[in-house]
Amino acid sequence: MKKFCGLLLAVALPFAINVAPASAGDTKWYPFKMNDASADTLKVIDYSPLEKAEKAHKICVLFPHMKDSFWVAVAYGITEQSKALGVNMNLYEAGGYDNLPKQLSQFDDCIASGADAIVIGAISTVGVAKQVLAAKAKGIPVIAVTNSFISPDLAAGVFVDLKSMASASANALLANVKSGETANVVTFPGPAGSGWAETMNKDFETVVAKNPNVKTLSSKFGDTGVAVQLQLVQDALQAYPSMNYIWGTAPTAEAAIGALAEAGRSDVKVISTYENQAMLDALKRGDIVAFTTQYPVIEGRVAIDETVRILEKKPFIRLVQPIAGVIDKATMGKMDMSTVLAPASWSPVYSVKQ
């Protein structure tokens, strides 16, 4: 892995420091095993947050959308850790991966409003590059969350290694291919131009190519809304009647369940590349065979903690990554789902005020 170079200062110290007691708005989620990916060699660490921020910093958060429970989970982590640390937080969502101009406008508004720092789940890494540079020039650190974003202008990043996510989901698919079976796969990686979708698709194909009985018939890119994915799945069912595996985003899998039932295609197996509440429910019903997780609640929590560390010039990790996992029927009973999804009763909070 290449160094996450060019970022703001970080001090190489053991990271199990300032262990915070559980308090109101803060469940005991730590210490949490993660990867310190700041250097060439990955280092497994036990991540623990600060006990409290020194002041009520103003943190502006930008999301691509809040269309599914995946991003709601990240929002939950951000909200709860903002409360626990005692900082102000405002969250803005652009409405979808096709709304880059809106995210750019929201980014500009964050700068204009006097935000101390910006946490961003970028719609497009290339698209927001100028805004990130502008914020850096004004002394406003930008922290990437969830969506992979490598740039010398970022202060830090909290996101999973895409190759590990793609590999985990690819191996989950391979584990379900029976001896002598031909697996005809159509992939639904996510939005074209996002960067992460193309990367995961390429890494997936590299892994499954190890099995000569696995054939990738086509890759269908599109926004991660269920309606868009449903149309893509329905088109694929018509165009590729031999398709018997679907590999794609959580909204893809959600859309596929209904489409496959309507088409009478119970032979098609579905693997989701990431998690949301619908995936957990679908796994319990047997509608999908597996999904991968990057622990989005933890990503949100750590992004806020990293932001406060940077603002207060305390030791932080330039690139901290969850360790990707696979959840299937054999493992779901062993998983602490509070690190993966927001509570079912929780409604998104767009502002935390101190």
Side-chain angles (χ1 to χ4, degrees):
M1 176 167 298
K2 295 181 179 179
K3 292 182 179 179
F4 193 38
C5 58
L7 299 179
L8 299 182
L9 59 91
V11 182
L13 293 176
F15 221 74
I17 60 176
N18 294 318
V19 177
S23 60
D26 181 26
T27 58
K28 185 68 184 293
W29 56 274
Y30 49 83
F32 195 87
K33 288 198 179 298
M34 305 186 81
N35 282 327
D36 177 350
S38 303
D40 289 329
T41 303
L42 288 178
K43 179 183 177 182
V44 179
I45 58 166
D46 287 322
Y47 194 104
S48 292
L50 296 169
E51 182 174 350
K52 211 74 176 175
E54 293 176 355
K55 60 181 289 188
H57 305 287
K58 290 178 61 179
I59 301 174
C60 203
V61 180
L62 302 174
F63 277 7
H65 62 79
M66 292 277 275
K67 292 180 181 180
D68 62 45
S69 55
F70 175 87
W71 281 104
V72 171
V74 185
Y76 175 71
I78 281 174
T79 299
E80 293 305 299
Q81 205 60 32
S82 295
K83 292 177 182 178
L85 291 177
V87 296
N88 295 298
M89 185 277 296
N90 287 303
L91 188 155
Y92 304 92
E93 56 97 5
Y97 278 93
D98 53 351
N99 288 340
L100 177 61
K102 185 172 182 179
Q103 187 170 74
L104 298 181
S105 177
Q106 291 170 335
F107 199 119
D108 292 339
D109 290 344
C110 286
I111 294 176
S113 68
D116 295 316
I118 298 171
V119 175
I120 183 169
I123 287 177
S124 165
T125 57
V126 174
V128 302
K130 289 184 179 179
Q131 271 68 18
V132 173
L133 182 60
K136 180 182 178 182
K138 292 180 178 292
I140 303 172
V142 180
I143 294 83
V145 66
T146 302
N147 283 353
S148 179
F149 191 166
I150 303 296
S151 167
D153 298 318
L154 287 173
V158 183
F159 46 80
V160 76
D161 173 53
L162 294 178
K163 185 174 183 178
S164 68
M165 282 289 283
S167 296
S169 58
N171 284 320
L173 186 150
L174 291 175
N176 277 275
V177 179
K178 298 176 181 177
S179 178
E181 176 188 8
T182 297
N184 294 313
V185 188
V186 175
T187 70
F188 301 80
S194 64
W196 61 264
E198 291 88 350
T199 298
M200 287 190 70
N201 198 56
K202 180 180 178 181
D203 290 334
F204 167 82
E205 291 182 344
T206 298
V207 173
V208 297
K210 297 174 184 177
N211 186 333
N213 292 326
V214 178
K215 311 293 183 185
T216 301
L217 302 179
S218 183
S219 296
K220 303 294 184 181
F221 291 84
D223 181 63
T224 50
V226 174
V228 172
Q229 293 298 313
L230 176 59
Q231 186 62 58
L232 292 175
V233 171
Q234 289 174 333
D235 290 347
L237 283 168
Q238 293 293 321
Y240 307 100
S242 66
M243 175 181 71
N244 56 2
Y245 281 87
I246 286 175
W247 176 89
T249 68
T252 305
E254 189 174 353
I257 292 167
L260 293 172
E262 184 176 348
R265 292 295 308 275
S266 59
D267 59 304
V268 180
K269 296 180 180 179
V270 180
I271 291 91
S272 174
T273 59
Y274 61 84
E275 62 282 87
N276 65 18
Q277 183 63 49
M279 292 305 93
L280 180 60
D281 296 340
L283 183 61
K284 291 177 179 177
R285 294 192 306 265
D287 291 333
I288 65 172
V289 298
F291 63 87
T292 51
T293 182
Q294 62 194 73
Y295 305 96
V297 173
I298 299 301
E299 286 183 322
R301 285 187 177 276
V302 173
I304 292 298
D305 187 69
E306 288 282 281
T307 299
V308 173
R309 288 177 180 276
I310 291 166
L311 291 172
E312 298 181 357
K313 302 190 184 307
K314 294 176 178 175
F316 72 97
I317 300 176
R318 291 186 177 107
L319 176 54
V320 58
Q321 295 179 327
I323 301 170
V326 173
I327 301 179
D328 55 21
K329 282 197 171 182
T331 60
M332 68 177 171
K334 305 172 186 176
M335 187 72 64
D336 178 3
M337 295 307 296
S338 71
T339 64
V340 178
L341 297 169
S345 60
W346 191 77
S347 296
V349 173
Y350 292 84
S351 182
V352 173
K353 301 296 182 186
Q354 303 301 327

